[in-house]
Amino acid sequence: MANRETVLNALESVQDPELHQSIVALNMVRQVAVEGSRVAIDIALTVAGCPLHQQIRRDVETVVGQLDGVEQISVNLGVMNEEERRTAFSRAFQTSQANRAQAAAAAPQKTSARPSGPAIGPLPGQAPPQGMMADTDDTVVLGIASGKGGVGKSTVTANLAVALTRLGARVGVMDMDIYGFSQGRMFGASGQAQANEQEKIIPWSVHGVSLVSMGMFVPEDQAIVWRGPMLGKMLQQFFSDVAWPALDYLLIDLPPGTGDVALDIAQKVRKAKLILVTTPQPVATHVAQRAADVAKRAGQEIVGVIENMSFVRLPTGDTVEVFGAGGGAALAQDLRVPFLGQIPLESIVREGGDQGQPVVVISPESEAAQAFDRMAALIRQEAGR
Ligand SMILES: Nc1ncnc2c1ncn2[C@@H]1O[C@H](COP(=O)(O)OP(=O)(O)O)[C@@H](O)[C@H]1O
Ligand SMILES: [Mg+2]
């Protein structure tokens, strides 16, 4: 006969499809009741409307159904509150770190797989230009890139930055989208750049994030024509002339396209990795693919793909795929990199951006904010720190 212990043991083998860890270890199993041949299990999902909930239900039914004497299973799916979700994610993160450390200890000779093709960055072992972030520095540098503008790159940058701080990380944002710098507006930060005693620029500090933007030097609506050398100089300054605090992550909001800045960054910060943002339709993914090609040639690792504006959730719970479907996942598959997930189209996302309150701040319970939280946790797993 099955009992609570045997059921819990069986549930150990069911993994959360996104976090790749046991639902028991993640505290997702709320309650197990066994009455004769009937088993009732309450599971708390990490987010409401988790697209993978059917898979979790199926897996639970399969493993418990294999136990002796079980004839009827009812699985109740609920949702974690924010506190529980944070605990689950930080637990998942710690376990993955521990697993990784174990794997590294077991295979000390393992060489990292770098994309092939002509290298554009400095050669391995070559010192980065003075004042740049050294490869030995612990900060994880993530460029947020997209083939074209308007796909939500800046929105993703701002929300991921805040979501990462909520996981306990120290985070900086560098607004390098010199054609349309918008991080000041997204974070609700304004005012001229201030320098400290060493003549270094003091970053804005908002929503727990350290931020530098061109907006500190010129008003947002002022048109500037940037030429290559000026751009390179700007980038250099944002690295070397800013009084950055110690950071776990530095997120760089890149200009759209495959242009100079991405290559400059590849050259100057060899360890910089890329996150690609796309909308679901093929035209958007094609241009994102080109950005990825450049990154690969530059020897930059791509952490994963984020699909934005994936669907509108109706009050009935159904979704409408305004911009088509499947582009993000297909792009990730093409590039053989992780698909980090989908962000719904929600008006609160735009409103938050316009008001200087990223959606993860203004509406943490919204589906979009929860998607950002999950992505931040995945990025910690993939890009580590
Ligand atoms: N998921 C979303 N739901 C609703 N509006 C969004 C979403 N993502 C971005 N937006 C809005 O779309 C516009 C373009 O986004 P933005 O982040 O500035 O794009 P990019 O930096 O790629 O040009 C902004 O007004 C932003 O608030
Ligand atoms: Mg932008």
Side-chain angles (χ1 to χ4, degrees), residues 52-355:
L52 301 161
H53 67 273
Q54 293 298 4
Q55 184 180 338
I56 297 180
R57 181 193 291 279
R58 262 198 315 274
D59 291 351
V60 166
E61 286 172 351
T62 308
V63 297
V64 178
Q66 284 164 358
L67 294 175
D68 266 355
V70 174
E71 271 162 23
Q72 202 187 333
I73 308 162
S74 67
V75 180
N76 276 319
L77 297 179
V79 184
M80 290 184 176
N81 64 29
E82 208 183 325
E83 182 71 42
E84 292 170 322
R85 192 167 59 243
R86 210 161 281 156
T87 315
F89 280 144
S90 71
R91 186 164 305 172
F93 174 62
Q94 280 161 9
T95 314
S96 83
Q97 291 284 87
N99 289 348
R100 194 175 311 180
Q102 232 173 16
Q109 310 298 344
K110 200 170 157 238
T111 53
S112 72
R114 280 210 157 260
S116 56
I120 302 174
L123 295 170
Q126 191 175 326
Q130 238 218 325
M132 287 289 167
M133 215 160 258
D135 284 348
T136 47
D137 184 305
D138 275 348
T139 308
V140 174
V141 182
L142 299 173
I144 316 294
S146 67
K148 63 191 201 97
V151 300
K153 192 168 42 61
S154 302
T155 305
V156 167
T157 307
N159 280 287
L160 281 182
V162 178
L164 282 165
T165 67
R166 304 258 171 107
L167 295 174
R170 299 162 299 176
V171 185
V173 167
M174 194 189 271
D175 186 0
M176 278 307 295
D177 187 351
I178 26 65
Y179 306 110
F181 42 90
S182 54
Q183 291 301 342
R185 178 167 46 85
M186 300 235 161
F187 275 90
S190 59
Q192 293 255 306
Q194 306 285 324
N196 68 8
E197 282 144 22
Q198 285 83 41
E199 304 274 294
K200 298 233 177 193
I201 302 157
I202 304 168
W204 281 324
S205 176
V206 233
H207 302 307
V209 173
S210 302
L211 168 68
V212 288
S213 168
M214 270 314 293
M216 293 177 141
F217 306 94
V218 270
E220 193 177 329
D221 52 9
Q222 190 171 314
I224 326 169
V225 181
W226 291 94
R227 294 191 183 82
M230 280 160 74
L231 263 177
K233 201 155 182 293
M234 192 69 235
L235 180 65
Q236 167 90 41
Q237 282 199 338
F238 273 6
F239 274 109
S240 55
D241 296 350
V242 171
W244 289 108
L247 297 174
D248 297 311
Y249 290 92
L250 177 66
L251 270 52
I252 308 178
D253 188 358
L254 293 172
T258 54
D260 306 346
V261 177
L263 282 184
D264 251 344
I265 289 177
Q267 233 154 16
K268 289 173 176 143
V269 195
R270 203 160 49 85
K271 64 173 184 173
K273 300 173 184 181
L274 229 55
I275 291 178
L276 290 173
V277 181
T278 183
T279 45
Q281 72 270 46
V283 268
T285 56
H286 287 154
V287 277
Q289 175 105 47
R290 286 213 300 278
D293 289 343
V294 173
K296 284 197 164 169
R297 284 216 318 140
Q300 267 180 339
E301 187 186 320
I302 299 169
V303 178
V305 173
I306 290 177
E307 187 184 89
N308 187 26
M309 310 189 185
S310 302
F311 55 84
V312 174
R313 170 95 48 202
L314 300 177
T316 55
D318 294 336
T319 56
V320 181
E321 288 160 336
V322 182
F323 295 119
L331 177 64
Q333 200 170 19
D334 272 3
L335 298 171
R336 297 197 174 76
V337 299
F339 181 47
L340 300 171
Q342 299 181 308
I343 303 152
L345 191 62
E346 271 189 85
S347 53
I348 187 77
V349 177
R350 185 199 50 77
E351 286 160 26
D354 287 350
Q355 292 167 19

